[in-house]
Structures are given as structure tokens and as C-alpha cells.
Amino acid sequence: MRQTVATRASARFGRNTRSELRYISIVDVPVIRVEADSLAAQRREPDTRIQEANWTNELS
């Protein structure tokens, strides 16, 4: 979800003339991207431990 917010907030819209509306992001995109990366790493950590246990333990 945060990744989607960051992607949409950083989108650029072309303007043909100076009188057209200008879009300004109201969210801090770099901070949101760091949060998204951190949450993704936290989600991957348990999976990595499970995979490690699968490789190191012999099932009978």
C-alpha cells in the first residue's frame, strides 16, 4: 500500500502552458519509500528463517 502511495505521489504530469494546473505532492515520497522497504524486509525475515530451517534440519 505504501509503495502504491509513493508511486502515485511521485507521478509527473506534463503541462502544455503555464496557466494549466500544477500538481504538488502532499506526502513525503522518500520517507514513504523507506517505510515500505522496511516493512517489506520485516515480512521477508520470517520466511527466510523458515527456509533456513528447511535447509538445516533433516526431516524423517
Side-chain angles (χ1 to χ4, degrees):
M1 178 71 159
R2 282 184 168 86
Q3 191 66 27
T4 303
V5 169
T7 300
R8 293 203 178 164
S10 64
R12 299 284 180 191
F13 299 97
R15 296 189 311 167
N16 295 325
T17 64
R18 295 184 73 179
S19 63
E20 290 184 61
L21 292 176
R22 182 173 175 219
Y23 292 92
I24 299 174
S25 178
I26 60 170
V27 296
D28 193 356
V29 174
V31 170
I32 291 175
R33 289 198 190 275
V34 168
E35 289 174 358
D37 291 343
S38 175
L39 290 171
Q42 289 175 11
R43 277 187 80 183
R44 286 190 306 269
E45 187 176 337
D47 188 50
T48 303
R49 288 184 183 177
I50 291 169
Q51 288 180 18
E52 179 184 6
N54 284 340
W55 281 99
T56 58
N57 296 316
E58 184 69 32
L59 298 176
S60 304

